[in-house]
Amino acid sequence: MSKTALKNHRSGTFNVFISEDLTTQRQKLIGELSRARKAKSIASYWTNDGRIFFKVTMESAKVFVKSYDDIAPYVPHS
């Protein structure tokens, strides 16, 4: 959770960037969520302790992603 606090940290000499080391399966899910966000099908997504979450709108409840089936309705088809 500390990565959120460091996300907007700015220093004169460096910027802080923290990323989680996700499994290949979860990296693919993040890629699909990125496509969904660019297509404006979802508002946001993030990871926390290796778990993936997203929100359809900024006001909606967060959704815990367990598998591709959880995000399939939001991912644009190629």
Side-chain angles (χ1 to χ4, degrees):
M1 292 305 294
S2 295
K3 73 178 181 178
T4 303
L6 291 171
K7 184 177 180 180
N8 295 321
H9 173 79
R10 298 288 185 256
S11 172
T13 57
F14 66 92
N15 294 334
V16 176
F17 180 81
I18 298 174
S19 65
E20 293 190 48
D21 189 17
L22 300 174
T23 64
T24 303
Q25 169 97 15
R26 289 183 178 170
Q27 288 174 1
K28 289 178 183 177
L29 290 172
I30 289 293
E32 295 297 316
L33 285 168
S34 178
R35 288 183 49 224
R37 188 161 79 43
K38 287 177 185 172
K40 300 189 186 314
S41 299
I42 64 170
S44 64
Y45 66 91
W46 65 96
T47 62
N48 182 353
D49 198 24
R51 297 171 295 171
I52 303 170
F53 300 92
F54 74 97
K55 283 187 171 189
V56 177
T57 67
M58 293 309 286
E59 295 79 27
S60 65
K62 68 181 177 182
V63 178
F64 174 53
V65 178
K66 298 176 211 80
S67 70
Y68 181 79
D69 293 338
D70 297 329
I71 65 172
Y74 307 101
V75 176
H77 300 294
S78 300

